[in-house]
Amino acid sequence: MKIDRKEMPLLTAAKNGIKEIVESILAHFPVAIHDTNSEKKNVLLLAVENRQPSLYDPLKQKYNNESVFHANNILHLAANYKKSMNPWIIPGAALQMKWEIKWYEHVKSSVPPNLMLHNNAGKTAVEVFTNTHEELVQQGGNWLYNTSNSCSVVAALIATVAFTTTTNVPGGVEKGKPVRGKELAFQVFSISSLISLCCSVTSLVIFLGILTSRYRENEFKTALPTKLLGGLSLLLISIAAILVSFCAGHFFIVDDQFRSVAVPIYAVTCLPAAAIFALGHLPLYMDLICAILTKVPTIFYNGRYTPLGSET
């Protein structure tokens, strides 16, 4: 971030989201809210431009008057995206785009209606948002495409295996009924293989839906992240179910004298496979949940994620 050496400490603190300094200065010098830099931006405008939600909401509530919304229109600053800022500490261009949309809509909901006009360059906020986010939309589309493409291969493989196990009945069929249909292991086998087949096919359809998407900017708000979260959830369920199905089917060929130790062996051998996949995708899974459920984007503040307006 480029630092203006003539800039006042209040404005520099607002740029970097240092809430304590901003609150302390404004508490001792309330008139400082009207201080501006060389670009005629006050503390509120800088908080919006630099994506500082922990500052914007309390400042907006305390100084809720149109005099602090001046200059190049606060909504246009929320719509303007600068890659050099790297505003949101969240992996994946698609999730960053989602938080950009949420941030813009949050600022828009708090801006007086008469300021939702054109800026000094004659552009609306929507035009600024679309023009400055073109590269991020493209990067987000590529990230979603590559992620969905990899997951769809796994889903297709599991669906193939699940279909094969579903059509092959352990012990054979006699008079249209499974020979071992009353055994617990067979019930576990049939139910788990069916769950695996249904979940893997459904996740495959979801991932194909992402792959064929047009990746428009409004789709990054809800549709695409929700689809990815649903696809990953179903894929994880299908992996766990196919492992249970395999263990239940293998249980039929184990001698009676070894059946007492078969279940612990299955747990030791199969759980790591599911755990590796789950743990490997856990960060992405948690980021998706956070991005979907959080109404206003969060920033990494004082060593932890800080929601809008939370205490530090």
mmCIF file of all heavy atoms in Angstrom, residues 138-177:
data_model
loop_
_atom_site.group_PDB
_atom_site.id
_atom_site.type_symbol
_atom_site.label_atom_id
_atom_site.label_comp_id
_atom_site.label_asym_id
_atom_site.label_seq_id
_atom_site.Cartn_x
_atom_site.Cartn_y
_atom_site.Cartn_z
ATOM 1 N N GLN A 138 -12.938 -13.751 -13.938
ATOM 2 C CA GLN A 138 -12.281 -14.755 -14.785
ATOM 3 C C GLN A 138 -11.442 -15.718 -13.945
ATOM 4 O O GLN A 138 -11.478 -16.936 -14.150
ATOM 5 C CB GLN A 138 -11.399 -14.071 -15.825
ATOM 6 C CG GLN A 138 -10.734 -15.034 -16.805
ATOM 7 C CD GLN A 138 -9.901 -14.319 -17.863
ATOM 8 O OE1 GLN A 138 -9.796 -13.091 -17.849
ATOM 9 N NE2 GLN A 138 -9.319 -15.069 -18.769
ATOM 10 N N GLN A 139 -10.708 -15.185 -12.978
ATOM 11 C CA GLN A 139 -9.898 -16.042 -12.104
ATOM 12 C C GLN A 139 -10.783 -16.954 -11.254
ATOM 13 O O GLN A 139 -10.465 -18.128 -11.060
ATOM 14 C CB GLN A 139 -9.022 -15.174 -11.204
ATOM 15 C CG GLN A 139 -7.935 -14.409 -11.943
ATOM 16 C CD GLN A 139 -7.162 -13.473 -11.025
ATOM 17 O OE1 GLN A 139 -7.506 -13.292 -9.862
ATOM 18 N NE2 GLN A 139 -6.099 -12.876 -11.547
ATOM 19 N N GLY A 140 -11.893 -16.394 -10.769
ATOM 20 C CA GLY A 140 -12.818 -17.208 -9.985
ATOM 21 C C GLY A 140 -13.444 -18.316 -10.803
ATOM 22 O O GLY A 140 -13.626 -19.442 -10.324
ATOM 23 N N GLY A 141 -13.773 -18.023 -12.063
ATOM 24 C CA GLY A 141 -14.325 -19.043 -12.946
ATOM 25 C C GLY A 141 -13.327 -20.159 -13.208
ATOM 26 O O GLY A 141 -13.693 -21.346 -13.205
ATOM 27 N N ASN A 142 -12.068 -19.786 -13.429
ATOM 28 C CA ASN A 142 -11.027 -20.795 -13.669
ATOM 29 C C ASN A 142 -10.802 -21.662 -12.435
ATOM 30 O O ASN A 142 -10.632 -22.882 -12.539
ATOM 31 C CB ASN A 142 -9.714 -20.113 -14.069
ATOM 32 C CG ASN A 142 -9.806 -19.434 -15.425
ATOM 33 O OD1 ASN A 142 -10.618 -19.810 -16.276
ATOM 34 N ND2 ASN A 142 -8.988 -18.423 -15.631
ATOM 35 N N TRP A 143 -10.824 -21.025 -11.264
ATOM 36 C CA TRP A 143 -10.628 -21.773 -10.014
ATOM 37 C C TRP A 143 -11.778 -22.753 -9.789
ATOM 38 O O TRP A 143 -11.560 -23.924 -9.437
ATOM 39 C CB TRP A 143 -10.523 -20.790 -8.850
ATOM 40 C CG TRP A 143 -10.331 -21.445 -7.517
ATOM 41 C CD1 TRP A 143 -9.161 -21.931 -7.005
ATOM 42 C CD2 TRP A 143 -11.336 -21.696 -6.523
ATOM 43 N NE1 TRP A 143 -9.390 -22.464 -5.745
ATOM 44 C CE2 TRP A 143 -10.705 -22.329 -5.424
ATOM 45 C CE3 TRP A 143 -12.706 -21.436 -6.454
ATOM 46 C CZ2 TRP A 143 -11.402 -22.706 -4.288
ATOM 47 C CZ3 TRP A 143 -13.404 -21.815 -5.306
ATOM 48 C CH2 TRP A 143 -12.747 -22.441 -4.248
ATOM 49 N N LEU A 144 -12.998 -22.311 -10.003
ATOM 50 C CA LEU A 144 -14.155 -23.198 -9.851
ATOM 51 C C LEU A 144 -14.128 -24.324 -10.870
ATOM 52 O O LEU A 144 -14.473 -25.470 -10.564
ATOM 53 C CB LEU A 144 -15.449 -22.397 -9.981
ATOM 54 C CG LEU A 144 -15.884 -21.579 -8.764
ATOM 55 C CD1 LEU A 144 -17.060 -20.688 -9.129
ATOM 56 C CD2 LEU A 144 -16.248 -22.486 -7.606
ATOM 57 N N TYR A 145 -13.735 -23.998 -12.092
ATOM 58 C CA TYR A 145 -13.685 -25.015 -13.157
ATOM 59 C C TYR A 145 -12.672 -26.108 -12.813
ATOM 60 O O TYR A 145 -12.985 -27.308 -12.915
ATOM 61 C CB TYR A 145 -13.320 -24.356 -14.485
ATOM 62 C CG TYR A 145 -13.323 -25.307 -15.653
ATOM 63 C CD1 TYR A 145 -14.481 -25.519 -16.392
ATOM 64 C CD2 TYR A 145 -12.165 -25.995 -16.017
ATOM 65 C CE1 TYR A 145 -14.487 -26.395 -17.474
ATOM 66 C CE2 TYR A 145 -12.160 -26.876 -17.089
ATOM 67 C CZ TYR A 145 -13.328 -27.069 -17.814
ATOM 68 O OH TYR A 145 -13.337 -27.949 -18.876
ATOM 69 N N ASN A 146 -11.479 -25.706 -12.395
ATOM 70 C CA ASN A 146 -10.448 -26.695 -12.078
ATOM 71 C C ASN A 146 -10.842 -27.537 -10.860
ATOM 72 O O ASN A 146 -10.643 -28.761 -10.851
ATOM 73 C CB ASN A 146 -9.114 -25.982 -11.811
ATOM 74 C CG ASN A 146 -8.556 -25.309 -13.048
ATOM 75 O OD1 ASN A 146 -8.814 -25.756 -14.171
ATOM 76 N ND2 ASN A 146 -7.827 -24.232 -12.864
ATOM 77 N N THR A 147 -11.405 -26.891 -9.839
ATOM 78 C CA THR A 147 -11.822 -27.632 -8.647
ATOM 79 C C THR A 147 -12.947 -28.609 -8.963
ATOM 80 O O THR A 147 -12.908 -29.776 -8.552
ATOM 81 C CB THR A 147 -12.283 -26.648 -7.551
ATOM 82 O OG1 THR A 147 -11.234 -25.719 -7.261
ATOM 83 C CG2 THR A 147 -12.674 -27.404 -6.288
ATOM 84 N N SER A 148 -13.934 -28.146 -9.702
ATOM 85 C CA SER A 148 -15.073 -29.005 -10.050
ATOM 86 C C SER A 148 -14.657 -30.121 -10.991
ATOM 87 O O SER A 148 -15.183 -31.243 -10.907
ATOM 88 C CB SER A 148 -16.182 -28.163 -10.697
ATOM 89 O OG SER A 148 -16.627 -27.157 -9.819
ATOM 90 N N ASN A 149 -13.716 -29.838 -11.875
ATOM 91 C CA ASN A 149 -13.248 -30.857 -12.816
ATOM 92 C C ASN A 149 -12.556 -31.999 -12.066
ATOM 93 O O ASN A 149 -12.790 -33.186 -12.361
ATOM 94 C CB ASN A 149 -12.290 -30.230 -13.821
ATOM 95 C CG ASN A 149 -11.954 -31.164 -14.967
ATOM 96 O OD1 ASN A 149 -12.796 -31.922 -15.436
ATOM 97 N ND2 ASN A 149 -10.716 -31.128 -15.415
ATOM 98 N N SER A 150 -11.725 -31.659 -11.089
ATOM 99 C CA SER A 150 -11.032 -32.687 -10.310
ATOM 100 C C SER A 150 -12.025 -33.510 -9.479
ATOM 101 O O SER A 150 -11.939 -34.744 -9.430
ATOM 102 C CB SER A 150 -9.999 -32.029 -9.389
ATOM 103 O OG SER A 150 -9.048 -31.292 -10.139
ATOM 104 N N CYS A 151 -12.968 -32.817 -8.848
ATOM 105 C CA CYS A 151 -13.946 -33.524 -8.011
ATOM 106 C C CYS A 151 -14.901 -34.382 -8.840
ATOM 107 O O CYS A 151 -15.337 -35.444 -8.389
ATOM 108 C CB CYS A 151 -14.745 -32.517 -7.192
ATOM 109 S SG CYS A 151 -13.788 -31.662 -5.921
ATOM 110 N N SER A 152 -15.216 -33.947 -10.050
ATOM 111 C CA SER A 152 -16.130 -34.718 -10.894
ATOM 112 C C SER A 152 -15.500 -36.041 -11.330
ATOM 113 O O SER A 152 -16.209 -37.049 -11.485
ATOM 114 C CB SER A 152 -16.538 -33.903 -12.123
ATOM 115 O OG SER A 152 -15.410 -33.600 -12.926
ATOM 116 N N VAL A 153 -14.184 -36.048 -11.504
ATOM 117 C CA VAL A 153 -13.491 -37.302 -11.855
ATOM 118 C C VAL A 153 -13.621 -38.302 -10.709
ATOM 119 O O VAL A 153 -13.920 -39.489 -10.920
ATOM 120 C CB VAL A 153 -12.008 -37.026 -12.173
ATOM 121 C CG1 VAL A 153 -11.260 -38.341 -12.366
ATOM 122 C CG2 VAL A 153 -11.883 -36.160 -13.412
ATOM 123 N N VAL A 154 -13.407 -37.830 -9.485
ATOM 124 C CA VAL A 154 -13.543 -38.702 -8.309
ATOM 125 C C VAL A 154 -14.981 -39.182 -8.159
ATOM 126 O O VAL A 154 -15.240 -40.361 -7.874
ATOM 127 C CB VAL A 154 -13.087 -37.959 -7.039
ATOM 128 C CG1 VAL A 154 -13.256 -38.851 -5.811
ATOM 129 C CG2 VAL A 154 -11.643 -37.506 -7.171
ATOM 130 N N ALA A 155 -15.946 -38.270 -8.355
ATOM 131 C CA ALA A 155 -17.358 -38.632 -8.227
ATOM 132 C C ALA A 155 -17.755 -39.681 -9.266
ATOM 133 O O ALA A 155 -18.515 -40.614 -8.963
ATOM 134 C CB ALA A 155 -18.229 -37.391 -8.378
ATOM 135 N N ALA A 156 -17.259 -39.531 -10.495
ATOM 136 C CA ALA A 156 -17.564 -40.501 -11.553
ATOM 137 C C ALA A 156 -16.981 -41.877 -11.220
ATOM 138 O O ALA A 156 -17.621 -42.915 -11.458
ATOM 139 C CB ALA A 156 -17.031 -39.999 -12.886
ATOM 140 N N LEU A 157 -15.774 -41.893 -10.681
ATOM 141 C CA LEU A 157 -15.139 -43.167 -10.309
ATOM 142 C C LEU A 157 -15.928 -43.862 -9.204
ATOM 143 O O LEU A 157 -16.183 -45.076 -9.277
ATOM 144 C CB LEU A 157 -13.703 -42.903 -9.851
ATOM 145 C CG LEU A 157 -12.912 -44.129 -9.377
ATOM 146 C CD1 LEU A 157 -12.768 -45.148 -10.498
ATOM 147 C CD2 LEU A 157 -11.534 -43.707 -8.856
ATOM 148 N N ILE A 158 -16.337 -43.111 -8.206
ATOM 149 C CA ILE A 158 -17.101 -43.692 -7.100
ATOM 150 C C ILE A 158 -18.464 -44.173 -7.582
ATOM 151 O O ILE A 158 -18.958 -45.234 -7.167
ATOM 152 C CB ILE A 158 -17.259 -42.661 -5.965
ATOM 153 C CG1 ILE A 158 -15.893 -42.353 -5.366
ATOM 154 C CG2 ILE A 158 -18.203 -43.187 -4.889
ATOM 155 C CD1 ILE A 158 -15.931 -41.278 -4.301
ATOM 156 N N ALA A 159 -19.092 -43.403 -8.459
ATOM 157 C CA ALA A 159 -20.390 -43.815 -8.999
ATOM 158 C C ALA A 159 -20.277 -45.126 -9.764
ATOM 159 O O ALA A 159 -21.163 -45.997 -9.673
ATOM 160 C CB ALA A 159 -20.945 -42.714 -9.902
ATOM 161 N N THR A 160 -19.192 -45.286 -10.497
ATOM 162 C CA THR A 160 -18.978 -46.531 -11.252
ATOM 163 C C THR A 160 -18.820 -47.719 -10.315
ATOM 164 O O THR A 160 -19.437 -48.782 -10.508
ATOM 165 C CB THR A 160 -17.735 -46.399 -12.139
ATOM 166 O OG1 THR A 160 -17.895 -45.282 -13.029
ATOM 167 C CG2 THR A 160 -17.533 -47.663 -12.964
ATOM 168 N N VAL A 161 -17.995 -47.531 -9.286
ATOM 169 C CA VAL A 161 -17.776 -48.615 -8.316
ATOM 170 C C VAL A 161 -19.059 -48.921 -7.546
ATOM 171 O O VAL A 161 -19.408 -50.088 -7.319
ATOM 172 C CB VAL A 161 -16.637 -48.235 -7.349
ATOM 173 C CG1 VAL A 161 -16.471 -49.306 -6.269
ATOM 174 C CG2 VAL A 161 -15.337 -48.036 -8.114
ATOM 175 N N ALA A 162 -19.790 -47.881 -7.150
ATOM 176 C CA ALA A 162 -21.022 -48.078 -6.391
ATOM 177 C C ALA A 162 -22.077 -48.803 -7.216
ATOM 178 O O ALA A 162 -22.806 -49.664 -6.700
ATOM 179 C CB ALA A 162 -21.564 -46.724 -5.924
ATOM 180 N N PHE A 163 -22.154 -48.466 -8.490
ATOM 181 C CA PHE A 163 -23.129 -49.153 -9.355
ATOM 182 C C PHE A 163 -22.774 -50.626 -9.505
ATOM 183 O O PHE A 163 -23.653 -51.499 -9.491
ATOM 184 C CB PHE A 163 -23.160 -48.486 -10.729
ATOM 185 C CG PHE A 163 -24.106 -49.137 -11.693
ATOM 186 C CD1 PHE A 163 -25.473 -48.897 -11.624
ATOM 187 C CD2 PHE A 163 -23.626 -50.012 -12.670
ATOM 188 C CE1 PHE A 163 -26.345 -49.514 -12.510
ATOM 189 C CE2 PHE A 163 -24.493 -50.630 -13.553
ATOM 190 C CZ PHE A 163 -25.861 -50.377 -13.472
ATOM 191 N N THR A 164 -21.480 -50.905 -9.621
ATOM 192 C CA THR A 164 -21.041 -52.299 -9.763
ATOM 193 C C THR A 164 -21.355 -53.100 -8.503
ATOM 194 O O THR A 164 -21.842 -54.237 -8.583
ATOM 195 C CB THR A 164 -19.534 -52.345 -10.053
ATOM 196 O OG1 THR A 164 -19.255 -51.577 -11.231
ATOM 197 C CG2 THR A 164 -19.076 -53.774 -10.270
ATOM 198 N N THR A 165 -21.080 -52.519 -7.341
ATOM 199 C CA THR A 165 -21.345 -53.243 -6.098
ATOM 200 C C THR A 165 -22.841 -53.407 -5.837
ATOM 201 O O THR A 165 -23.269 -54.403 -5.246
ATOM 202 C CB THR A 165 -20.716 -52.490 -4.907
ATOM 203 O OG1 THR A 165 -21.224 -51.146 -4.869
ATOM 204 C CG2 THR A 165 -19.205 -52.450 -5.033
ATOM 205 N N THR A 166 -23.636 -52.433 -6.286
ATOM 206 C CA THR A 166 -25.081 -52.524 -6.076
ATOM 207 C C THR A 166 -25.696 -53.655 -6.886
ATOM 208 O O THR A 166 -26.642 -54.331 -6.442
ATOM 209 C CB THR A 166 -25.761 -51.187 -6.452
ATOM 210 O OG1 THR A 166 -25.179 -50.144 -5.675
ATOM 211 C CG2 THR A 166 -27.251 -51.230 -6.170
ATOM 212 N N THR A 167 -25.176 -53.880 -8.099
ATOM 213 C CA THR A 167 -25.745 -54.906 -8.974
ATOM 214 C C THR A 167 -25.226 -56.306 -8.668
ATOM 215 O O THR A 167 -25.792 -57.291 -9.149
ATOM 216 C CB THR A 167 -25.424 -54.562 -10.436
ATOM 217 O OG1 THR A 167 -24.005 -54.386 -10.594
ATOM 218 C CG2 THR A 167 -26.131 -53.280 -10.857
ATOM 219 N N ASN A 168 -24.143 -56.399 -7.890
ATOM 220 C CA ASN A 168 -23.594 -57.704 -7.515
ATOM 221 C C ASN A 168 -24.003 -58.031 -6.079
ATOM 222 O O ASN A 168 -23.499 -57.420 -5.130
ATOM 223 C CB ASN A 168 -22.064 -57.709 -7.633
ATOM 224 C CG ASN A 168 -21.613 -57.595 -9.073
ATOM 225 O OD1 ASN A 168 -22.280 -58.089 -9.983
ATOM 226 N ND2 ASN A 168 -20.485 -56.922 -9.294
ATOM 227 N N VAL A 169 -24.913 -58.965 -5.921
ATOM 228 C CA VAL A 169 -25.443 -59.315 -4.598
ATOM 229 C C VAL A 169 -24.553 -60.382 -3.956
ATOM 230 O O VAL A 169 -24.370 -61.457 -4.525
ATOM 231 C CB VAL A 169 -26.884 -59.845 -4.712
ATOM 232 C CG1 VAL A 169 -27.420 -60.204 -3.331
ATOM 233 C CG2 VAL A 169 -27.767 -58.810 -5.386
ATOM 234 N N PRO A 170 -23.989 -60.106 -2.790
ATOM 235 C CA PRO A 170 -23.169 -61.120 -2.108
ATOM 236 C C PRO A 170 -23.998 -62.363 -1.754
ATOM 237 O O PRO A 170 -25.095 -62.258 -1.208
ATOM 238 C CB PRO A 170 -22.717 -60.397 -0.818
ATOM 239 C CG PRO A 170 -22.839 -58.949 -1.141
ATOM 240 C CD PRO A 170 -23.997 -58.836 -2.071
ATOM 241 N N GLY A 171 -23.451 -63.528 -2.076
ATOM 242 C CA GLY A 171 -24.145 -64.778 -1.777
ATOM 243 C C GLY A 171 -25.128 -65.209 -2.838
ATOM 244 O O GLY A 171 -25.683 -66.309 -2.767
ATOM 245 N N GLY A 172 -25.387 -64.353 -3.811
ATOM 246 C CA GLY A 172 -26.294 -64.717 -4.890
ATOM 247 C C GLY A 172 -27.755 -64.504 -4.540
ATOM 248 O O GLY A 172 -28.113 -64.062 -3.454
ATOM 249 N N VAL A 173 -28.617 -64.874 -5.525
ATOM 250 C CA VAL A 173 -30.061 -64.683 -5.378
ATOM 251 C C VAL A 173 -30.756 -66.024 -5.589
ATOM 252 O O VAL A 173 -30.414 -66.782 -6.496
ATOM 253 C CB VAL A 173 -30.586 -63.647 -6.392
ATOM 254 C CG1 VAL A 173 -32.097 -63.500 -6.266
ATOM 255 C CG2 VAL A 173 -29.890 -62.307 -6.201
ATOM 256 N N GLU A 174 -31.718 -66.300 -4.768
ATOM 257 C CA GLU A 174 -32.489 -67.535 -4.889
ATOM 258 C C GLU A 174 -33.975 -67.196 -4.856
ATOM 259 O O GLU A 174 -34.465 -66.583 -3.906
ATOM 260 C CB GLU A 174 -32.142 -68.490 -3.745
ATOM 261 C CG GLU A 174 -32.842 -69.845 -3.845
ATOM 262 C CD GLU A 174 -32.433 -70.781 -2.745
ATOM 263 O OE1 GLU A 174 -31.291 -70.636 -2.236
ATOM 264 O OE2 GLU A 174 -33.250 -71.647 -2.366
ATOM 265 N N LYS A 175 -34.673 -67.558 -5.927
ATOM 266 C CA LYS A 175 -36.094 -67.267 -6.070
ATOM 267 C C LYS A 175 -36.392 -65.766 -5.952
ATOM 268 O O LYS A 175 -37.362 -65.335 -5.351
ATOM 269 C CB LYS A 175 -36.911 -68.035 -5.029
ATOM 270 C CG LYS A 175 -36.842 -69.549 -5.191
ATOM 271 C CD LYS A 175 -37.694 -70.253 -4.147
ATOM 272 C CE LYS A 175 -37.633 -71.775 -4.327
ATOM 273 N NZ LYS A 175 -38.467 -72.472 -3.308
ATOM 274 N N GLY A 176 -35.499 -64.983 -6.534
ATOM 275 C CA GLY A 176 -35.701 -63.539 -6.563
ATOM 276 C C GLY A 176 -35.335 -62.811 -5.298
ATOM 277 O O GLY A 176 -35.491 -61.585 -5.212
ATOM 278 N N LYS A 177 -34.823 -63.535 -4.289
ATOM 279 C CA LYS A 177 -34.465 -62.905 -3.029
ATOM 280 C C LYS A 177 -33.005 -63.220 -2.687
ATOM 281 O O LYS A 177 -32.531 -64.319 -2.969
ATOM 282 C CB LYS A 177 -35.371 -63.392 -1.903
ATOM 283 C CG LYS A 177 -36.831 -62.977 -2.063
ATOM 284 C CD LYS A 177 -37.648 -63.431 -0.859
ATOM 285 C CE LYS A 177 -39.097 -62.990 -0.998
ATOM 286 N NZ LYS A 177 -39.913 -63.406 0.181
#
